[in-house]
Amino acid sequence: MRHGEVENPTGILYGRLPGYHLSELGRRMADRVAEHLAGRDITHVVASPLERALETAEPIAKTHGLDIATDDGLIEADNVFQGRAVGVGDGALRRPANWRHLFNPFRPSWGESYVHQVVRMRAALDAARDAARGHEAVCVSHQLPIWTLRSFVERRRLWHDPRRRQCTLASLTTFTFDGDKIVSVGYTEPARDLVPPHLRAGARGAGGGGGRGA
């Protein structure tokens, strides 16, 4: 699951910075997903250690009478621009001193490599599978790592247009296992009506998926 909307009045790329919590709307999104999953056979809830992920996991864990585990493998992708505004023409990308970080979009050169994201996310997914063997687990993470893992599993290239990620706020990307093998991937948006239209999956200009709303 991707976390809900974050309170971010200054519009920066917060990345792994501490202190960024769900907005009131984000909490409603989390509650909506908890209601959606209430009847599921969930025996394990695990989240990224960042506040927004833990807060998103809370109502799901409460509904199922579970504690929330944490796994660093689910954390947001590292990014050299965290803590800054990154809009084209009005932020860090306008400064020549930062252009040295932009030479290779295929890695990407401005942050954690896609391959490293796949490795740690797959390890976290496998650990959650093992913890809930025979049942279901919910892992709360962030847009880019979720989409990167899904792209790898579905054998798509890892570099991509951030506006085209199918991973909107509070969405569920479901990996189904047969034993230790992933046999299918699903996607649902239980809180879609709460997500502003410009932030929904596939919306043009939904740059928040690249950082501000990650």
Side-chain angles (χ1 to χ4, degrees), residues 47-64:
S48 154
L50 297 174
E51 292 98 332
R52 57 192 184 270
L54 292 167
E55 291 164 0
T56 299
E58 282 176 6
I60 300 171
K62 183 177 179 180
T63 297
H64 292 274

Side-chain angles (χ1 to χ4, degrees), residues 88-165:
V88 176
D90 63 356
L93 301 184
R94 193 177 172 186
R95 301 168 191 158
N98 291 328
W99 295 351
R100 62 190 173 88
H101 298 298
L102 305 174
F103 66 91
N104 184 1
F106 304 107
R107 181 185 181 274
S109 53
W110 53 84
E112 181 184 10
S113 74
Y114 293 127
V115 172
H116 188 263
Q117 291 177 57
V118 168
V119 171
R120 64 173 173 83
M121 285 289 288
R122 182 59 198 264
L125 187 67
D126 288 349
R129 175 205 62 207
D130 291 343
R133 181 77 69 171
H135 305 277
E136 294 178 278
V138 174
C139 306
V140 183
S141 186
H142 308 267
Q143 189 192 61
L144 178 54
I146 295 170
W147 181 248
T148 301
L149 177 62
R150 178 179 171 184
S151 296
F152 176 79
V153 170
E154 295 183 331
R155 299 186 179 183
R156 288 192 303 274
R157 67 189 185 196
L158 300 184
W159 62 272
H160 58 278
D161 181 343
R163 298 169 297 180
R164 298 305 187 189
R165 295 173 190 156

Side-chain angles (χ1 to χ4, degrees), residues 30-46 56-68 135-138 172:
D31 289 340
R32 174 70 62 80
V33 177
E35 293 170 6
H36 175 77
L37 296 174
R40 305 296 301 192
D41 183 25
I42 295 168
T43 60
H44 184 64
V45 177
V46 59
T56 299
E58 282 176 6
I60 300 171
K62 183 177 179 180
T63 297
H64 292 274
L66 301 169
D67 294 327
I68 302 170
H135 305 277
E136 294 178 278
V138 174
L172 295 169

Side-chain angles (χ1 to χ4, degrees), residues 176-203:
T176 301
F177 285 85
D178 182 358
D180 292 345
K181 181 181 179 182
I182 296 175
V183 294
S184 68
V185 179
Y187 178 78
T188 55
E189 298 179 359
R192 180 178 174 82
D193 62 303
L194 299 178
V195 179
H198 70 285
L199 293 179
R200 292 175 184 170

